[in-house]
Amino acid sequence: MHLFLTYTIFGLVLGGVYAIAASGLVLTYNTSGIFNFAHGAEAMLGAFLYWEVRYGWGVPTPLALILVLGVFGPLMGGVLYLVIMRGLRDTAEVTKVVVTVALMLGMLYLSEWFWNPQADRTVVPFFGITSQVKIFGADVTTHELIALGTAVLIGLGLRLFFYRLRIGVAMRGAVDDPGLLELNGHNPERIAALSWAMGSFLAVLAGVLLTPISGGALQANSLTLLVIDAFAAAVFGRLRSIPRTYLGALVLGLAASYVLAYFPKTWQWASNFRVSLPMIVLFVVLIVLPQDRLRGASVARTRERAHLPSVRSAVIAGAALVVVVVLLRQLMNDSDITTLTLGMTFAVIALSLTLLTGYAGEMNLAAVSFGAIATMVSYHIGVTGHGLASRSTLWGIVVGVIVTAVVGAVVSLPALRLRGLYLGLATMAFGVFLTDMVLMDSNPHRIPLIHTKFSLFSGGAGINSLVIPPLKVGPLDLHDGTTFLVTATVVFAVLGIGLVALRNSSYGRRLTAMKDSPAASATLGQSLLRLKLSVFMLSAAVAGLGGVLMSMALGSVTPDNFSIFLSLSLLMLTVVAGISYVSGALMGGLLSGVGFALIVSTFHDLASRHGSVHGLFSFVASFATVTPALIGIGVGRNPSGSVHDFVDGYRSLRHRPRVLVGGGAVEAVLYVLSLTNVIGHWWFAILTAVLVMLLPLAGQMSDPAQREREAAAVPLELAGIDSPYSDGLRVELDRALGIEDLLPPERSARSRRHGRRSDGAGDRSLAEPLGAGVGDAGT
């Protein structure tokens, strides 16, 4: 009985802290419609700052709490909303997710920049560890009582706030109809900023209270994930109900406590199960939640845009990519080849996001984790030989990809009934569960019936890693670095061409219709269940193939190579580049796999070589680690991605061949100079990047009149609204609708006269024909 009481009280305390964190998440979601994935990172940053103020500066505890909870927490939340979140209106769900994911990663990198992760930091409970009271014979620290009492007071206070105060009622309506709220005399932006300030305060409070309860040691990743466990409680309340959120948090805390108390110590997997329990609960809650109503197209059109390439242009681009990589190979040493190969394998994984998110509008926050499934299967059934002579087989890779597709179908079960955000949470739960429960478990377990010990992620002798040898199929042996690089590039090019062909097919149009308006798609007789299941299986298979190639490129993989943070970083950079484009997957994969890591290592190397400017290079290296997150935060200003701007800029060069030929000639000269070592490879890369960015500008300068026509062009859906309804716009509407042949002779002749214009204006106008319709959204 004493053991039961002790762990019951501990579970209630843990559940109370989870409830505090989850209620802050519910608060911000209800007023802004944004699910804040950075909520755990806010708690982590607040806990670190409290340690710095209390123990680093020696400030007394009451004053430290006032500074951290009363000033820093609310200020951080309010600034985040006013500077970043307010600009996310009229953006797709994935853009909102990516911005908050970028915030989370940025806060993690920032904490590692300011606080050395190797140093030990311990937070002592309030009034010390010896300050205890007895409750029914069980020892409870004063800190735990304070945490539990605070949770109760906050729960009661939020209930009264939302239902008894006018500002609380207004908060509940801020996301549903901000226009109507404004008509009733409230400022929706001010209300949303206040709610984010309150949500950030609750996150920081949870971080400060949770650290001593969980052991006292401050670790950025573990503390962030610990607060992310509260996601399950928030989803239990369907992100709206504070009482149900508290109930879910208490169930979560008690379950974790009872697992710690009553699971036999001989169960080696018990500790991993306890860590994974919140994610298991989150997944189960997502499955049993009532079904959401199908949504129609949004009243306000989102700001994401994309151009749909033809299969012919995709084939040309794929062939050009392979040629460019072969040419670049002549400039690289063995280390550079391995680095670029790794980046190309990440680009293959990113293609799965283009298919699932860019085309179908669903989300996968654990793409790299699916690569771990295929890697494990390939390792156990597809490796032949021993030592340096060992090789992976094509059979093992094929089976691994098929198994990954099946696992993807199982994980996507919530997506068959719920919205994209819930699928994102389900995949995130799967990724964290896979890492904590499977990848971190190197102990062999006895398989029932056949009594054979077996470990999924262990190379033997309890080593928590797998050695994945290169593939050998007939004369093709990926042990050679150049062969591996070219093969990975060809695989990416073939898959990319296949995705473009799929997007241009009837299946691709059905995916786009489902993304644009599930209700309309279902009304037209399409099976949404079949569409979602098939696209997620295809996406998981592509991620599995990329994961196996990535493991081969690395040679040996550990659980860290499949971390959920790596998956989130890949998603963020792919969205920044342009998740609706195959070229966006290429850029996102290269940046995630090698880009910023290469920049950071380069500046660290320069810092070690040049002692006189060591501080400057170290600062640049540290800043480079935060740069991906800063770029991700800015995606709200350009939700279509940088590739979209790149495509728009180069579309205008189609009728300026002299500019393209001149740019090609300059690039050829730079290549020859680098090949002959006249200029260094870094200078070649820098000058090439500058040339690529300047070519569209050079094209505009070469034809000022064309630039004026492009600036005056108006998207067709805004004809007569943002500009006068002229004859030219009417003709362009006729041409876009395909009704030129049905026009009277005089209008048809006028149309032909307008059609002989330089089509720079037409390019821009026709870039978004009928953009709000089913056929264009998401392409």
Side-chain angles (χ1 to χ4, degrees), residues 639-726:
S640 300
S642 57
V643 168
H644 180 79
D645 294 340
F646 181 85
V647 171
D648 272 349
Y650 273 80
R651 281 168 67 90
S652 63
L653 296 181
R654 290 181 303 175
H655 306 287
R656 300 181 179 90
R658 289 179 297 179
V659 176
L660 290 175
V661 171
V666 173
E667 180 63 21
V669 171
L670 292 175
Y671 179 80
V672 172
L673 292 177
S674 181
L675 189 63
T676 56
N677 294 321
V678 176
I679 61 175
H681 298 335
W682 270 108
W683 276 112
F684 170 74
I686 293 172
L687 293 175
T688 297
V690 171
L691 177 64
V692 169
M693 290 187 292
L694 289 182
L695 272 183
L697 181 61
Q700 292 179 2
M701 295 177 63
S702 66
D703 190 354
Q706 178 69 15
R707 181 175 59 183
E708 292 178 3
R709 287 193 296 272
E710 290 175 354
V714 177
L716 294 187
E717 64 268 26
L718 299 181
I721 299 175
D722 282 6
S723 65
Y725 191 78
S726 63

Side-chain angles (χ1 to χ4, degrees), residues 372-395:
I373 299 291
T375 297
M376 288 187 290
V377 174
S378 176
Y379 171 80
H380 287 294
I381 71 170
V383 175
T384 61
H386 301 281
L388 296 177
S390 62
R391 292 290 185 271
S392 295
T393 62
L394 182 61
W395 165 252

Side-chain angles (χ1 to χ4, degrees), residues 18 53 62 69 107 123 301-302 309 331 368 375 385 562 609 691 739:
Y18 281 157
V53 174
L69 298 178
M107 289 177 180
V123 178
R301 184 184 176 191
T302 59
L331 304 179
V368 180
T375 297
F562 303 101
R609 292 182 182 179
L691 177 64
I739 59 174

Side-chain angles (χ1 to χ4, degrees), residues 541-606:
V542 173
L545 176 59
V548 174
L549 293 175
M550 179 197 75
S551 301
M552 291 180 185
L554 291 170
S556 176
V557 291
T558 66
D560 290 339
N561 296 120
F562 303 101
S563 165
I564 187 65
F565 294 114
L566 193 58
S567 296
L568 294 175
S569 177
L570 177 63
L571 173 66
M572 177 190 72
L573 291 173
T574 305
V575 172
V576 167
I579 200 165
S580 298
Y581 293 94
V582 170
S583 49
L586 176 63
M587 182 183 296
L590 292 176
L591 289 176
S592 178
V594 299
F596 291 102
L598 184 62
I599 294 173
V600 171
S601 63
T602 299
F603 279 105
H604 276 308
D605 186 53
L606 290 173

Side-chain angles (χ1 to χ4, degrees), residues 358-440:
Y359 292 172
E362 303 293 344
M363 271 189 284
N364 180 5
L365 303 185
V368 180
S369 298
F370 285 95
I373 299 291
T375 297
M376 288 187 290
V377 174
S378 176
Y379 171 80
H380 287 294
I381 71 170
V383 175
T384 61
H386 301 281
L388 296 177
S390 62
R391 292 290 185 271
S392 295
T393 62
L394 182 61
W395 165 252
I397 294 177
V398 171
V399 174
V401 169
I402 293 174
V403 171
T404 305
V406 174
V407 173
V410 174
V411 174
S412 68
L413 285 175
L416 305 181
R417 308 168 56 251
L418 302 170
R419 296 182 301 172
L421 173 62
Y422 289 104
L423 173 60
L425 291 172
T427 55
M428 184 177 183
F430 166 75
V432 176
F433 168 80
L434 183 72
T435 301
D436 292 338
M437 193 68 189
V438 179
L439 304 187
M440 296 298 293

